Amino acid sequence: MGLMDKLRGELIDIIEWLDDSRDTMVWRFPRYQNEIKMGAKLVVRESQTAVFVNEGKIADVFEPGTYTLETRNLPILSTLKGWKYGFNSPFKAEVYFVNTRQFTDMKWGTQNPVILRDAEFGVVRVRAFGAFAARVVDASRLLRELVGTDPQFRTEEVQEYLRQLMVGRLGGALATAGVPLLDLAAHQDAIGRRLAAVLTEELAEVGIAIPKFVIENVSVPPEVEQALDKRTSMGAVGDLDRYTRFQAANAMEAAANNPGGEAGAGIGLGLGMAMGQQMARSMGGGAATQPPPAQPAATQPAAAEPPPLPGQAQWYVGVGGQRQGPYDLGALAEQANAGALDADTLVWRTGMAQWQPAGQVPELASVLASVPPPLPPQ
């Protein structure tokens, strides 16, 4: 600075700061050799604090308002300087304006996953990201601990430090929250408020508070997401037995509509009839395939043959191009003993996509095993 700068500094008698950067937390007022005219006006606007620093020590702090810089407004600085040579000469001091508004849209996120223990899923790795707001609540501590002699202290100089501090506290907050993994989304606001209070208390030593902490999303690894999707699909299906019957009905319809020749037509006919019987059982309580319950012996004679036990699978047998049945496993065993059923005989039951040789159906292994071997030659 030259002579003109010195003269210009002596003539300026208004000390103020209008911030247009949106990210400056502390700004030092520039003066030639830090000389401030006695009787100058200091304008401190709302969301600002002015800090006077003399010879490396904080002398006075001014809250929002307009002040005339004289001895009655600068008691600490007046004592430090002594004012031995009159009250009209300029005094030297540094003036720092500290922005006390909320700095919003500051981002945070976990570079590495946080390991949690969940009661339902066990050990789970989660990632999270969000935003937070920061505010200076103690200008003197901020200058002492973080700013130093920096003429323009921006949020980018402290944001990484704040982000690391938040990520370090995130795992503990999620672990102590006692919230299951599937319920984290419903408790993100409460966890964010708890973290804001913890971080504000820890940052008090540097004069910064965290009034708002937002958790935007908590995610799990892709393989866990796939498992959750499968679990959701199973929940949407509901009754697995009904779902199996629905799948079998779709297979029946596909086989009946297959114009692949005589075999396809036979399969379609058999599956179509089985589907009709299944629907009749669902709608009429099984009246289409099972006889009505036997009446007491006094009013109706006993049936010659009892109906199949409930819950047993009903099997159909293809013999000579004709469908026979339905049979339960006991009836199939009799057919096998009589020689009418062997490993090459085609069989089908509800739930099978198509007719198969009996020897390829694991459920009929015990039936075929009961067939005695052929007699030795005489």
Side-chain angles (χ1 to χ4, degrees):
M1 292 185 179
L3 177 63
M4 293 303 298
D5 296 320
K6 181 179 186 303
L7 294 176
R8 192 179 299 112
E10 293 293 337
L11 294 175
I12 295 176
D13 60 355
I14 297 179
I15 302 174
E16 62 180 352
W17 176 42
L18 298 177
D19 180 27
D20 58 358
S21 65
R22 305 300 300 170
D23 64 346
T24 301
M25 301 183 75
V26 179
W27 181 76
R28 186 173 65 193
F29 186 78
R31 294 304 298 266
Y32 177 74
Q33 294 184 352
N34 297 328
E35 290 187 353
I36 299 175
K37 181 180 179 182
M38 186 63 181
K41 297 291 184 182
L42 172 65
V43 180
V44 183
R45 289 173 170 79
E46 292 292 342
S47 74
Q48 291 181 352
T49 298
V51 180
F52 273 61
V53 177
N54 175 67
E55 296 180 0
K57 295 182 179 181
I58 295 178
D60 289 283
V61 178
F62 290 88
E63 299 298 327
T66 301
Y67 305 89
T68 300
L69 300 181
E70 53 189 20
T71 55
R72 65 183 181 89
N73 287 335
L74 297 165
I76 301 177
L77 185 61
S78 300
T79 302
L80 292 175
K81 300 298 291 186
W83 299 100
K84 300 177 181 179
Y85 306 103
F87 297 142
N88 295 322
S89 61
F91 55 88
K92 292 185 178 182
E94 299 172 356
V95 181
Y96 289 86
F97 284 92
V98 179
N99 202 334
T100 58
R101 69 171 180 85
Q102 286 193 36
F103 292 90
T104 58
D105 198 29
M106 301 178 73
K107 304 296 184 180
W108 67 272
T110 56
Q111 294 181 351
N112 298 315
V114 178
I115 300 178
L116 300 178
R117 185 182 299 276
D118 186 76
E120 188 170 0
F121 296 96
V123 178
V124 183
R125 294 180 293 113
V126 300
R127 295 178 183 270
F129 65 87
F132 67 95
R135 166 186 284 169
V136 178
V137 293
D138 192 324
S140 300
R141 290 189 176 184
L142 180 67
L143 261 67
R144 291 191 186 101
E145 302 296 334
L146 294 181
V147 178
T149 59
D150 192 344
Q152 188 173 16
F153 187 78
R154 296 179 176 271
T155 56
E156 62 184 14
E157 300 179 55
V158 72
Q159 185 169 0
E160 180 61 20
Y161 165 71
L162 296 178
R163 188 198 68 80
Q164 293 176 356
L165 185 63
M166 292 170 184
V167 172
R169 298 294 178 269
L170 178 65
L174 294 178
T176 58
V179 179
L181 179 64
L182 296 181
D183 296 333
L184 278 179
H187 295 79
Q188 286 180 181
D189 290 343
I191 297 174
R193 290 192 297 270
R194 186 182 307 172
L195 268 173
V198 172
L199 293 170
T200 297
E201 181 178 357
E202 185 160 349
L203 290 170
E205 62 184 15
V206 296
I208 296 178
I210 305 297
K212 190 68 174 179
F213 187 89
V214 179
I215 301 176
E216 295 183 18
N217 183 54
V218 178
S219 60
V220 296
E223 57 271 18
V224 179
E225 289 184 356
Q226 295 175 4
L228 290 176
D229 291 341
K230 290 181 180 179
R231 182 170 181 174
T232 303
S233 301
M234 293 175 62
V237 167
D239 190 344
L240 292 180
D241 182 59
R242 294 178 61 186
Y243 179 72
T244 302
R245 293 200 298 268
F246 174 73
Q247 292 289 81
N250 288 338
M252 296 176 192
E253 182 180 0
N257 294 331
N258 181 18
E262 182 178 352
I267 292 175
L269 177 61
L271 296 181
M273 294 181 64
M275 180 177 67
Q277 294 175 354
Q278 181 68 30
M279 293 178 63
R281 285 197 300 270
S282 299
M283 298 176 62
T289 58
Q290 294 185 3
Q295 298 294 328
T299 59
Q300 182 178 347
E305 183 177 349
L309 292 174
Q312 290 190 354
Q314 301 297 300
W315 295 83
Y316 294 87
V317 180
V319 179
Q322 299 294 324
R323 179 179 62 85
Q324 298 180 4
Y327 302 111
D328 58 14
L329 291 178
L332 288 180
E334 294 178 1
Q335 293 283 333
N337 290 329
L341 175 67
D342 56 22
D344 297 327
T345 304
L346 294 178
V347 296
W348 180 88
R349 65 166 177 79
T350 301
M352 294 175 58
Q354 58 185 358
W355 292 76
Q356 294 183 6
Q360 298 181 10
V361 180
E363 299 173 60
L364 300 182
S366 60
V367 173
L368 297 177
S370 64
V371 179
L375 294 173
Q378 298 293 333

